[in-house]
Each structure stands twice: as C-alpha cells, then as structure tokens.
Amino acid sequence: MSDKVFPSSKPAANGTATNATTNNPPTAVTNKSHLYNPTSRPPYRPQPHTRRHRSRSGRNICCCCCFWTILTILLLLLLASIAGAALYILYHPHRPTFTITSLRIHRLNLTTSPDSSSSHLSTLFNLTVISKNPNSHISLDYEPFTVSALSDGNDVFLGNGTLPAFSLSKKNQTSFRNVVISGSNDLDVDAVNSLRSDLKKKKSETGSVMLKIEMDTKVKMKVGGLKTKKVGIRVTCDGIKGSIPKGKIPTVAVTANSKCKADLRIKIWRWTF
C-alpha cells in the first residue's frame, strides 16, 4: 500500500524561502525605554587622579624639607648664643679706654673776606693720648687712627691728624705725645655762623671754647688662639675746654673733665663695648 503525500496549500514561491524562514531565529524586539530614562543609566564611577596624588606627595616633601631646615638653623643659633654667653662669662671683656692728658691750641683763626663772600679757618692743635687695655685675656691690634677736632657745640670740623698702628697686650697701655691736628679749609655760611655763635657764646660766658676729639680706626682682638675679624671703633672725647691763643703763644686746654668713650661691636660674639 503506497503512502499518500499531501502538498501544502500555499506552495513556496522560491525554494529557498522556506529554509531561510526556518533557519533564521526570530529577531528580538529592542526596548529603547532605557535610553530616555535617566534612572536606568549606569552609575558614574570617578577614576583615580594620579597627578593630584603626586602633587600632594611633592608638597609633603617640600614641607618636611622646610621644617628640618628651619629647625637646623634655630639649633645653630641656639648653640652660637650659648657659646657666646659662655665666652662672655669666662673672659668678661671690658671696653678699651682712651684719655687725652693734654691739649695745646697753637692756632685757631677764622678770617672772612671784605665782601663776606668767603671764610677761611686755620687751626693747629697738639695733644697727648693714652690708650689702655683693661682685659686679662684679650689682646688688641689697632690699625692707624684718623684723629679729628670739632667744635663741641655745633660739630664744625676744625682739623685732622693721624695716629700710627699699635698693639696692646693684656693689661697694658701705651701713650702718644705731640699728636698734631691741623686744618686749613674754607667754610660755608652755615658753618661760619655756627662757629662764630659758638665762639662768641663761650667767650662771653667763660672766655673759652669747647672742643671735641674723634678717633676712628679698626681693631682686631685675640683670645688665646682665636682671632676676630677687624671691626670699626670710634673714640669720642668731649668736654675739653680751651681758649683762643693771642699771638704766637699757645694756650693749654683743660682736659681734666673730658670723657672718652669707645664704641665697638664684635660681630662674632655679639659683644658690645
């Protein structure tokens, strides 16, 4: 008995159509609702910033370096202060002393031209200076001095001179005789008026003129094997009372009440004399 074949009611227009339909899976319908719904978006995950981390680490290193540098400087300053205080207590430095034992005025002439357009001052002084070193552990080495004479009232420059270089050992002194101070210079109107008023005032009151001597130089100190750098020193001696000479006979100034002060500062130990 033969089998019967029943053909489909709708024959395929193309022989491959049926195979294509049966072999291809059904296409899924895409749901696009999440493209327009913000709640369905994936959460934002920030990425680590490597540069910011590096900058923070660099700042930390810089801060540490500054901290240790400042701390080191403070420690060095503290040690220097302690060493200076110890040296000061151990050696107890004193000011060097200067004294003017005598001063002679040979010439003090102020001349003015007939038309009062110019004034000329001519001076000549002779003095004796004594320098002492009162320190028991410190030696002093002086460079040459520049010695200046001025009027004590208005600081009008009268003349200058020099002192040679010298050294003073511990607890020692030296003296200089016949130190010459001279001057021959023109004065301006203000200096002339100041000097004339000072001379007239002193003449009318006591018949004398007040003088001031300034000495400038540099000094080096020795403490055992330690030497300091050269530092400036100014010695000011005021309160010298003299009178204007008449003729060629010099007058002797009164120096008993004069006071000399030495201003000196050492930069290494911060000693102020």
Side-chain angles (χ1 to χ4, degrees):
M1 178 179 249
S2 62
D3 293 334
K4 295 182 179 181
V5 177
F6 298 94
S8 62
S9 60
K10 292 183 180 180
N14 192 353
T16 61
T18 303
N19 295 332
T21 304
T22 57
N23 295 333
N24 292 336
T27 304
V29 179
T30 305
N31 186 8
K32 298 183 179 181
S33 62
H34 73 279
L35 297 177
Y36 307 99
N37 187 5
T39 59
S40 63
R41 295 179 180 179
Y44 174 74
R45 296 179 180 178
Q47 299 296 328
H49 296 279
T50 307
R51 294 182 179 177
R52 184 176 299 179
H53 178 71
R54 291 179 180 177
S55 62
R56 289 179 179 177
S57 62
R59 290 179 182 176
N60 293 334
I61 294 174
C62 182
C63 292
C64 290
C65 292
C66 293
F67 171 77
W68 286 110
T69 301
I70 295 173
L71 183 62
T72 303
I73 294 174
L74 293 177
L75 289 176
L76 291 176
L77 292 176
L78 179 61
L79 292 176
S81 301
I82 294 174
L87 290 174
Y88 185 87
I89 295 173
L90 180 62
Y91 296 108
H92 195 63
H94 297 277
R95 295 182 182 183
T97 61
F98 292 82
T99 307
I100 296 179
T101 57
S102 68
L103 189 147
R104 296 177 180 270
I105 303 175
H106 294 266
R107 184 171 61 249
L108 182 57
N109 298 331
L110 177 63
T111 58
T112 305
S113 61
D115 57 354
S116 300
S117 60
S118 62
S119 298
H120 186 78
L121 178 65
S122 178
T123 59
L124 180 61
F125 305 92
N126 189 298
L127 54 88
T128 300
V129 181
I130 296 178
S131 176
K132 296 181 180 180
N133 179 16
N135 297 283
S136 304
H137 305 279
I138 302 175
S139 301
L140 305 174
D141 292 334
Y142 293 100
E143 289 189 349
F145 283 75
T146 299
V147 186
S148 303
L150 304 95
S151 63
D152 199 2
N154 299 299
D155 288 344
V156 178
F157 178 75
L158 303 178
N160 59 4
T162 58
L163 274 177
F166 63 96
S167 299
L168 281 179
S169 58
K170 308 166 187 176
K171 291 288 185 177
N172 199 359
Q173 72 176 32
T174 185
S175 62
F176 297 91
R177 302 177 182 272
N178 297 324
V179 179
V180 177
I181 299 176
S182 61
S184 179
N185 55 325
D186 296 328
L187 302 180
D188 56 13
V189 178
D190 294 335
V192 171
N193 294 334
S194 299
L195 185 59
R196 281 181 176 175
S197 62
D198 189 33
L199 292 176
K200 289 180 180 179
K201 182 180 178 181
K202 298 303 178 182
K203 281 183 179 181
S204 61
E205 291 181 356
T206 60
S208 60
V209 58
M210 301 302 294
L211 302 174
K212 179 170 63 175
I213 303 297
E214 290 182 352
M215 295 177 283
D216 296 293
T217 187
K218 291 184 177 181
V219 62
K220 181 188 296 184
M221 297 190 175
K222 297 180 182 179
V223 183
L226 181 63
K227 296 181 181 180
T228 67
K229 294 182 178 180
K230 295 178 181 179
V231 293
I233 178 174
R234 165 167 285 188
V235 182
T236 303
C237 301
D238 54 7
I240 302 173
K241 185 184 297 185
S243 57
I244 300 176
K246 297 179 180 179
K248 296 182 179 181
I249 301 175
T251 59
V252 179
V254 179
T255 60
N257 297 325
S258 65
K259 296 180 180 179
C260 296
K261 181 181 178 181
D263 295 327
L264 170 67
R265 186 173 181 84
I266 301 177
K267 297 181 180 180
I268 295 179
W269 297 320
R270 301 295 179 184
W271 294 347
T272 302
F273 289 168

